Amino acid sequence: MYSFEPNEEQQMLIDAVGKYAENDLRPAAHDAEENRELPKKLVSKGWELGLLQASVPETYGGFGERSAVTGVLAVEEMAYGDLAGTLAVMTPSLFATPVLLGGSEEQKQEYLPKIIEGEWAPYTAALVEYAFDFDPTALKTTAKAEGSSFILNGEKAFVPFAKDAEALIVYANLDGGTQGFIVKKEAAGLSISEEREKAMGLNALPMYRIKMENVTAERLGGASGHDFELILSAMRVASAAAAVGVARSSFEYAKNYAKEREAFGVKIAQKQAVAFMLAEMATEIEAIRLLTWEAAWKLDNGKEDAHTAAYLAFTGAADMAMMVTDRGVQIYGGHGYIRENPVELLMRNGRGFPMLLGTAIV
Amino acid sequence: MTIEFEAPKPLVNMQNMLQTVAENMMRSTSREMDENEHSIPWDYIEFMHTAMRSMGGAGGLAPVEEKPKEGAEKRPPIGYQKLAVQIEMLAWGDVGYYLVTPGGGLGAAAVQAAGTPEQKAKFLARFNEEKPTFAAMCMTEPGAGSDTSAIRARAVLDEKTNEWVINGEKIFVTAGDKSFTEYEKLGKGFIVVWASIDPSAGRAGMRAFVVEAGTPGVKITKLEHKLGIRASDTASISLVDARVPFENLLGSPTVEKTTTGFKGAMATFDATRPLVAASGLGVARAALEFLKEKLKENGVEIRYGLPRQKLTSVEREVIDMEIMLKSAWLMVLKAVWMADNKKPNALESSMSKVKAGDVCTKITQKAVEILGPIGYSREFLLEKWFRDAKITDIYEGTGQINRLVVARQILGYSGSELR
């Protein structure tokens, strides 16, 4: 059957996350960006919504089962509030979800309960590399087997909360394919940049460079490793959903502004030039939302083309977010360019999606 | 409810069956029909009628209401979904041919949307009878396209005979000839003519009339020569003192000074827009598949999974086309799913049409561009699909009028607030 309506449980989650996004994240977004800091309370409150906790089975301290569909619904809703806040709230998932998807039984038991049962704590992951041709399936960071463990060498960029992280998953090139490796905070040879990353957007989210010189690490999934594509696709649909949320936010600001702002005696929304832009924004948002839902559903149901679907959703979402957030600024005109107004931050965040793969996962 | 993307079994079966029809009956003669405009593909018409009739589905754009078998669990309705899948598949074969599929088309859809139960019983039964039968919708006039308030056709009640007397000129009537002209091989069709019964009331005075095939005073004055969809006839029809019985007016004859009646009739389009969108996407899929096939023959593989900056420009184009096509199709599915579940879908319906119009135009244009001479040559059907596709962004509301509908919906504006 085809069906396009979240179930009751999902709807409750959407409502709860939506409230948090509207009442907490949205109002805080501007100052967080300017001050380069997210209030701790804000992040804890998001964590307490229990998105990650609900995707981990009871045996590992959670209270539910993972569903990519539920995940993308929640992420869109939260990212509508603020992208930096969303990525911060979800940072522990960057570690926990890959463990859940590809970890060995021991790894699950060792890490999941302490991440899930406690307060928000920075467990994170490092995927992005600082190169124009960054490609998650052809990484420059290398892993070499040495006995039962692995030796990592290379550099990573845009690693959220690396400074405080208890442990992180580092993705590296092992014999031509990508694999994740668990690296503990105290590992010898691991160095984390003093300075935070400075980027066009997402300045509220503390991100760091990390360097590995002969770091000893444990392979995710143990000796036999794991299916990285599963993790990559989970990252892609999460990013796509976040892009939909960001775009929706910009669209909504622009729509409301266009209905207030007057020019030549009418609201600018009454001008077809503006109204058509809004119609196209809404259409593209809906198109990518559905593509993301379908990809997530295919992942949940192990469909053959699920990975291609996730890739297409992610690729389409990045373009859509740019198009929509750009128009958000355009509709505000000169005011859109001013940092007091929310749409310029959304545009900066909207541009980040192709680069920021690996900063969200569901 | 839940979120689910598993195609229902009956849809998949039908799709497979129609693919065979598309390959064997349509593609093989597509070129011939394109080059011999105004010839009628009788083989296809008769085959499709027999096939649809045996499935109990002859009738056209209105979904067949399923009667639940006794004791069987009640399944959610999928009538419109079925139609969308069916239309997409037929259009994949040849959208011109698809338009010649016998049935009620937009004419029956209007009866379905605006007719009383008695009218539905009277006018819709014929499509399932022995001979293939057509019906058409006559809305557009030389001076009235998307702006239906500009319609000049007039219907006046002759109280002595209790008949409506209609005068006017209609153009761009899809399948107008097959619906009105009495061909021996066809059953008696009809056209649904929009005319005003009270010009002072504007849209509120607009009504739809069933005009039976062969009605005196009605004439097919012209068959258009077109850019594409040449297998389908597009007629101009003039009505001079054409008389139809009182009960052929669909819905209520009383004019209230509101447009609710008209809006109700316009709901026809909420149901049919996603179906027209589906037909455009069928053409787009055909073009994209052809493009990928030709690229493959020439050793070009699309490397899915690579970041944008590592792809060649051709790979990027193809990937973008797939994103467009897949997402547009999901929008169509959502709109028809809403129709099946009786959820108001004016927004989703128009959105799907906006998107599909863009998508099928872009995909066919790009496919021709990428394949260069192979795309432009009449040796292959791609150039025809490019010509065929364009109509999707025009009929059943142009991309622009649908943008207007979408904008009004999202802004909460009336027609007078956003013109």
Side-chain angles (χ1 to χ4, degrees):
Chain A
M1 280 289 141
Y2 292 118
S3 178
F4 294 85
E5 216 166 63
N7 65 30
E8 223 174 285
E9 232 171 278
Q10 289 166 334
Q11 194 54 54
M12 275 165 60
L13 181 73
I14 291 172
D15 292 344
V17 176
K19 245 190 215 157
Y20 167 70
E22 185 78 54
N23 303 334
D24 299 292
L25 284 180
R26 246 186 167 204
H30 176 264
D31 287 355
E33 170 75 10
E34 297 292 323
N35 304 332
R36 293 169 58 80
E37 195 173 359
L38 285 157
K40 241 194 145 106
K41 257 197 184 153
L42 186 70
V43 177
S44 313
K45 195 168 176 185
W47 175 249
E48 281 156 19
L49 289 167
L51 297 187
L52 179 60
Q53 295 89 321
S55 76
V56 172
E58 273 176 49
T59 5
Y60 307 118
F63 54 85
E65 219 179 302
R66 188 177 160 275
S67 148
V69 170
T70 307
V72 298
L73 293 172
V75 171
E76 178 194 325
E77 210 54 39
M78 202 185 277
Y80 164 80
D82 175 44
L83 183 61
T86 303
L87 297 181
V89 168
M90 296 193 41
T91 293
S93 179
L94 293 178
F95 188 97
T97 301
V99 168
L100 191 65
L101 283 171
S104 65
E105 190 52 38
E106 294 79 46
Q107 288 165 345
K108 287 181 190 172
Q109 279 172 9
E110 181 180 353
Y111 290 103
L112 291 178
K114 63 182 168 195
I115 299 174
I116 299 304
E117 286 166 358
E119 308 258 294
W120 180 93
Y123 285 82
T124 187
L127 176 69
V128 180
E129 295 177 344
Y130 200 70
F132 88 93
D133 58 351
F134 162 65
D135 175 356
T137 63
L139 295 173
K140 295 184 170 78
T141 299
T142 59
K144 269 208 180 83
E146 202 182 85
S148 64
S149 48
F150 291 81
I151 305 298
L152 305 184
N153 278 288
E155 286 178 42
K156 292 284 177 181
F158 296 130
V159 186
F161 294 97
K163 195 103 200 147
D164 309 307
E166 294 296 319
L168 65 160
I169 291 174
V170 174
Y171 296 95
N173 191 326
L174 178 70
D175 306 324
T178 300
Q179 285 285 284
F181 298 86
I182 298 174
V183 175
K184 290 190 174 147
K185 184 187 195 169
E186 59 276 3
L190 171 70
S191 52
I192 294 160
S193 66
E194 273 309 307
E195 262 196 63
R196 278 166 57 175
E197 292 272 14
K198 288 179 187 145
M200 179 175 12
L202 288 181
N203 288 301
L205 185 73
M207 294 189 287
Y208 299 86
R209 297 278 169 88
I210 68 167
K211 203 171 185 178
M212 287 146 296
E213 285 171 297
N214 296 320
V215 170
T216 306
E218 188 187 326
R219 186 177 184 180
L220 187 64
S224 53
H226 59 276
D227 180 0
F228 172 66
E229 214 174 12
L230 225 50
I231 294 173
L232 182 59
S233 291
M235 289 171 176
R236 282 178 168 149
V237 293
S239 299
V244 174
V246 168
R248 198 179 98 202
S249 177
S250 181
F251 163 72
E252 203 144 294
Y253 278 125
K255 182 184 79 177
N256 293 336
Y257 180 78
K259 287 182 80 172
E260 274 169 27
R261 170 78 187 189
E262 281 191 24
F264 306 103
V266 292
K267 309 292 183 196
I268 60 169
Q270 292 177 278
K271 298 275 183 196
Q272 286 190 357
V274 173
F276 279 21
M277 280 165 81
L278 288 166
E280 284 163 9
M281 289 156 84
T283 303
E284 293 307 308
I285 291 170
E286 175 75 352
I288 298 297
R289 175 186 291 128
L290 295 177
L291 202 60
T292 305
W293 285 9
E294 188 192 38
W297 179 86
K298 284 183 169 174
L299 286 172
D300 281 345
N301 291 279
K303 296 288 170 188
E304 212 181 313
D305 60 343
H307 298 303
T308 310
Y311 169 73
L312 293 177
F314 169 74
T315 306
D319 280 356
M320 180 280 294
M322 193 65 251
M323 181 280 252
V324 171
T325 56
D326 172 75
R327 287 179 172 203
V329 170
Q330 189 68 22
I331 288 173
Y332 267 71
H335 296 277
Y337 208 71
I338 307 296
R339 293 219 311 246
E340 249 166 56
N341 288 310
V343 285
E344 66 83 31
L345 170 60
L346 291 166
M347 183 178 175
R348 288 186 280 125
N349 287 345
R351 180 65 282 182
F353 285 101
M355 276 67 72
L356 294 168
L357 184 66
T359 54
I361 190 167
V362 290
Chain B
M1 280 298 169
T2 177
I3 291 173
E4 217 181 304
F5 294 91
E6 190 81 65
K9 261 272 154 55
L11 260 61
V12 179
N13 294 342
M14 192 187 55
Q15 202 169 17
N16 292 337
M17 193 203 69
L18 289 176
Q19 182 165 346
T20 317
V21 176
E23 279 165 355
N24 298 335
M25 297 208 77
M26 300 168 118
R27 290 277 178 97
S28 54
T29 47
S30 268
R31 177 58 70 193
E32 195 187 317
M33 288 308 299
D34 183 61
E35 295 190 351
N36 295 290
E37 202 167 8
H38 301 159
S39 60
I40 299 177
W42 291 112
D43 288 351
Y44 171 77
I45 291 172
E46 276 159 9
F47 172 83
M48 282 307 280
H49 182 66
T50 314
M52 291 193 303
R53 217 174 146 222
S54 70
M55 295 188 301
L61 289 173
V64 187
E65 273 172 44
E66 277 186 64
K67 287 193 191 92
K69 286 185 197 125
E70 238 171 274
E73 207 184 318
K74 202 172 170 272
R75 282 178 311 174
I78 56 166
Y80 276 111
Q81 294 167 60
K82 224 175 191 171
L83 275 172
V85 169
Q86 184 181 333
I87 290 168
E88 194 270 353
M89 192 73 237
L90 290 175
W92 174 87
D94 185 313
V95 71
Y97 258 122
Y98 147 65
L99 290 165
V100 194
T101 308
L106 289 175
V111 175
Q112 193 76 30
T116 62
E118 296 76 45
Q119 288 171 330
K120 286 184 198 175
K122 182 173 172 200
F123 295 120
L124 298 179
R126 64 184 73 183
F127 300 106
N128 222 354
E129 279 165 18
E130 200 177 323
K131 285 183 182 176
T133 305
F134 288 86
M137 171 100 111
C138 309
M139 178 82 93
T140 304
E141 297 181 1
S146 293
D147 179 8
T148 48
S149 69
I151 286 176
R152 291 282 163 271
R154 184 86 166 85
V156 181
L157 184 64
D158 179 345
E159 284 175 6
K160 273 182 259 161
T161 61
N162 207 25
E163 286 172 319
W164 294 99
V165 182
I166 308 175
N167 280 283
E169 197 182 332
K170 294 290 177 181
I171 60 167
F172 298 165
V173 183
T174 300
D177 179 49
K178 291 177 200 70
S179 303
F180 188 79
T181 305
E182 293 174 283
Y183 289 98
E184 206 168 300
K185 292 179 180 174
L186 298 180
K188 196 178 178 69
F190 60 80
I191 55 177
V192 172
V193 176
W194 289 80
S196 176
I197 54 171
D198 182 359
S200 70
R203 279 208 175 93
M206 221 69 87
R207 288 295 181 278
F209 299 84
V210 174
V211 178
E212 295 280 1
T215 300
V218 185
K219 245 201 201 124
I220 306 278
T221 52
K222 185 182 174 196
L223 294 180
E224 301 285 356
H225 294 271
K226 304 188 297 293
L227 173 67
I229 53 165
R230 291 180 182 159
S232 159
D233 79 81
T234 303
S236 297
I237 296 179
S238 83
L239 299 100
V240 180
D241 292 333
R243 290 177 166 268
V244 303
F246 182 80
E247 61 275 14
N248 282 24
L249 177 151
L250 297 175
S252 158
T254 34
V255 178
E256 288 149 23
K257 295 286 168 188
T258 66
T259 54
T260 42
F262 185 73
K263 275 183 185 155
M266 288 302 278
T268 314
F269 293 121
D270 292 344
T272 53
R273 273 178 183 150
L275 298 178
V276 175
S279 74
L281 296 181
V283 187
R285 183 162 67 87
L288 181 53
E289 284 174 7
F290 178 79
L291 170 63
K292 284 168 77 174
E293 205 181 286
K294 282 285 156 215
L295 288 173
K296 204 172 174 183
E297 274 173 28
N298 287 280
V300 181
E301 285 283 348
I302 310 301
R303 296 168 296 165
Y304 296 94
L306 282 189
R308 268 269 208 278
Q309 61 271 37
K310 278 188 152 183
L311 296 169
T312 64
S313 95
V314 168
E315 285 174 315
R316 284 190 195 193
E317 299 273 22
V318 172
I319 284 166
D320 283 346
M321 288 182 195
E322 283 194 35
I323 292 166
M324 285 179 209
L325 181 64
K326 290 199 153 88
S327 59
W329 175 241
L330 292 172
M331 295 180 85
V332 168
L333 276 184
K334 185 177 174 184
V336 288
W337 170 82
M338 291 177 85
D340 278 331
N341 289 281
K342 308 259 185 296
K343 295 170 192 288
N345 71 344
L347 174 64
E348 287 76 9
S349 170
S350 282
M351 264 190 182
S352 75
K353 179 69 167 56
V354 166
K355 181 72 177 167
D358 276 358
V359 164
C360 73
T361 313
K362 270 187 207 154
I363 286 182
T364 50
Q365 283 174 3
K366 278 283 167 194
V368 169
E369 179 193 307
I370 292 172
L371 291 177
I374 294 172
Y376 204 68
S377 161
R378 289 210 300 204
E379 192 178 328
F380 297 103
L381 289 171
L382 181 59
E383 65 82 29
K384 175 180 126 65
W385 294 334
F386 159 83
R387 290 183 284 111
D388 287 346
K390 186 60 210 164
I391 194 61
T392 309
D393 203 22
I394 297 172
Y395 65 5
E396 205 74 359
T398 60
Q400 289 61 44
I401 208 74
N402 276 302
R403 275 167 175 76
L404 203 54
V405 175
V406 170
R408 282 177 191 153
Q409 294 266 345
I410 58 179
L411 289 161
Y413 280 162
S414 65
S416 58
E417 284 169 308
L418 178 59
R419 287 174 182 279

